[in-house]
Each structure stands twice: as C-alpha cells, then as structure tokens.
Amino acid sequence: MDVTDEVLESLLRHLPELRHLDVDGCNHLQGDFMLSLDACPLLTSLTVHMRGGHIAEAVLQALGRLRRLVVLKLETCGLGIHPSSLQAMLDNLGSLRSFSMENSCAFTNDFLECLADSLCAPLLEELDLAYTGISTMGGQDAWGLLLSFPSLRRLRLVGCKLGSGEGAGDAVAALLRRLPMLEALDLGCDSEPGTEVLLQFMASCGPRLHELALTVPTEWRAPLPPPLRGSRCARCACEPMAWARTVCCPSSAPARPAW
C-alpha cells in the first residue's frame, strides 16, 4: 500500500504519546500530513525526507506548535514559503538544538539570514545545510551569517557554493575562531585548495575539532585490480575485459559522515 498524506494523518491521530518520527521513502507524500502533528504534542524529534513534496505556510505554523522539538530535519523538501515565515516558526521552538535542511536547494541565503536572526540560533548545536542553495557570492555573505550560531558543535556545508582560494581560507579561519565549541565540520571547496590555504585551515581548527570531512572536486579515481577473465561486475553484471583497470559503475553518491 502506498503511504499517502491521508494515511499518515490517520495514523498520527492514534499516536498521542509519539516522541520520534522519521519519514523517508514515501514517494507519494506532499507534506500535508504535518498539519496533523498537533495530535503528537510530545514529539521531540522529527525527520522528513520528501522528494517532490514541499513545506507550505500552514505546515510551518503546525510545526511551530511543537514546543518540545529538539531535532527538526526537513530534508529534500521544496519550500513554498517566505523566509520570514521560517523565522516565525523557529522563534517558537525554544528547545530546538538540531536543524537540517540537507538537499533543499531552495534554502538560500535569505532563509539562512532568517535562521540566523531567530531566537533559537544562539542555542543550536547541530546545523546541516549540505547541498542547499546558500552561497558566498553576492548579497549577504554566508560566512558572516554563520557567525550567529556560537553554540554549534556540528556543522555540514558540503555541496554549498562557498568559493575557494585565499579568501575562503580566511573566512573559514575566522569562522572557526568564532565557533569555540565546534567539534565536527563537513566542508566542500569549489576547486582544489592550495597548500597554503589548507595549512591555514588546519591551523585554525585547533585541538578541539574531533571530526573533519573536507571534500574537494577531482576526477581521479583509484584503479581497481584487473578482474578475472569472464568475471562479472557485482553491480550491473557487465563483463569487463580482463585487462581493464577502470572503476566499473562508480557511485556518484557523496560520502557523508556518520553523524
């Protein structure tokens, strides 16, 4: 049976004691089921992955009434809202400590600015903005906005348009100095950084950083050993030539830290 918004709404009405909800892989959801989350007032963790769905104004109002939320992840979601509406919702979530908009391309600097101005910004400990639309190009600079989260322990920015070169190195160094509690950082570069930039970056990390994922673009792949003659690829059952030393069916999915 396909899980629709109506089916999930009916289910939520029978779960008043629900604390954690993780919705993923339900391709027919549009997001309206979140209007029924009032039926779960004890909810502390909500994770929603919607491919094709979107967050509407009414949904934000419903989320803003979940005053016990500690974790909110709205990933791979479209945004049919004004940035100020996001801020109004976040201002009501005084318990929120972890927020994610991963893979939501519509989440631009305008939304980041409203997030930075929200009442929960100084309290956030985890922020995942990987593969969103935030950028350091033009308008309000993303690096400056990220200084509004002094309590961050974990930050993901891989896949964002953050520039490269000496300017980016200076910005990262300044950010790390202003985030004294940061323990885990997932960062990407638009181009391969030079040695001086990397050294500057590492020097700014200090001993407090426990986890670091630094992604740089490259077309190089480590070659696999030559397959045995007549052997088949486990992924696609193709028959590579015995002397071939290329990676068969390489995955394009980005690596993601365990946290």
Side-chain angles (χ1 to χ4, degrees):
M1 179 180 67
D2 294 328
V3 178
T4 63
D5 287 274
E6 292 76 14
V7 170
L8 198 49
E9 286 174 8
S10 178
L11 177 63
L12 291 172
R13 294 191 187 98
H14 293 86
L15 298 172
E17 300 293 319
L18 191 66
R19 263 72 168 182
H20 301 269
L21 177 61
D22 189 335
V23 180
D24 189 11
C26 303
N27 297 325
H28 294 275
L29 292 179
Q30 295 298 313
D32 292 340
F33 75 93
M34 285 184 278
L35 296 173
S36 300
L37 287 174
D38 287 339
C40 309
L42 303 180
L43 202 64
T44 60
S45 176
L46 174 62
T47 301
V48 179
H49 304 263
M50 288 194 308
R51 297 169 180 82
H54 67 281
I55 306 297
E57 298 278 352
V59 169
L60 284 185
Q61 296 173 13
L63 294 177
R65 294 191 287 271
L66 298 174
R67 303 302 175 88
R68 295 173 180 258
L69 269 185
V70 177
V71 177
L72 177 59
K73 299 182 179 182
L74 304 174
E75 301 177 345
T76 323
C77 297
L79 295 174
I81 58 174
H82 191 273
S84 61
S85 300
L86 177 68
Q87 180 177 344
M89 177 202 71
L90 293 170
D91 284 343
N92 291 323
L93 302 180
S95 298
L96 196 66
R97 296 296 180 270
S98 177
F99 183 64
S100 173
M101 292 296 304
E102 181 188 358
N103 277 322
S104 297
C105 297
F107 191 92
T108 59
N109 286 25
D110 291 335
F111 285 96
L112 179 59
E113 183 174 5
C114 287
L115 173 60
D117 290 338
S118 68
L119 297 179
C120 73
L123 304 175
L124 282 180
E125 298 178 2
E126 298 187 7
L127 181 59
D128 189 344
L129 301 178
Y131 303 99
T132 59
I134 67 171
S135 168
T136 57
M137 312 301 288
Q140 179 64 281
D141 184 28
W143 293 120
L145 293 172
L146 289 168
L147 298 177
S148 301
F149 306 94
S151 300
L152 281 184
R153 295 182 181 275
R154 298 178 179 274
L155 175 62
R156 294 193 72 223
L157 296 171
V158 64
C160 300
K161 298 179 178 65
L162 300 179
S164 59
E166 184 176 351
D170 292 338
V172 173
L175 178 67
L176 290 170
R177 287 193 295 268
R178 295 282 294 273
L179 299 180
M181 302 177 69
L182 195 67
E183 298 175 352
L185 177 63
D186 188 0
L187 190 66
C189 302
D190 289 348
S191 61
E192 188 170 351
T195 303
E196 292 184 3
V197 174
L198 283 177
L199 289 175
Q200 179 187 28
F201 172 71
M202 296 303 175
S204 303
C205 290
R208 68 186 184 277
L209 201 66
H210 298 164
E211 301 174 33
L212 173 63
L214 183 61
T215 303
V216 296
T218 177
E219 296 180 356
W220 182 85
R221 291 180 181 273
L224 293 177
L228 297 175
R229 184 177 298 277
S231 63
R232 292 175 178 267
C233 171
R235 290 178 181 168
C236 67
C238 62
E239 297 187 38
M241 299 181 67
W243 47 264
R245 298 184 60 87
T246 57
V247 177
C248 185
C249 304
S251 171
S252 60
R256 175 173 179 169
W259 56 270

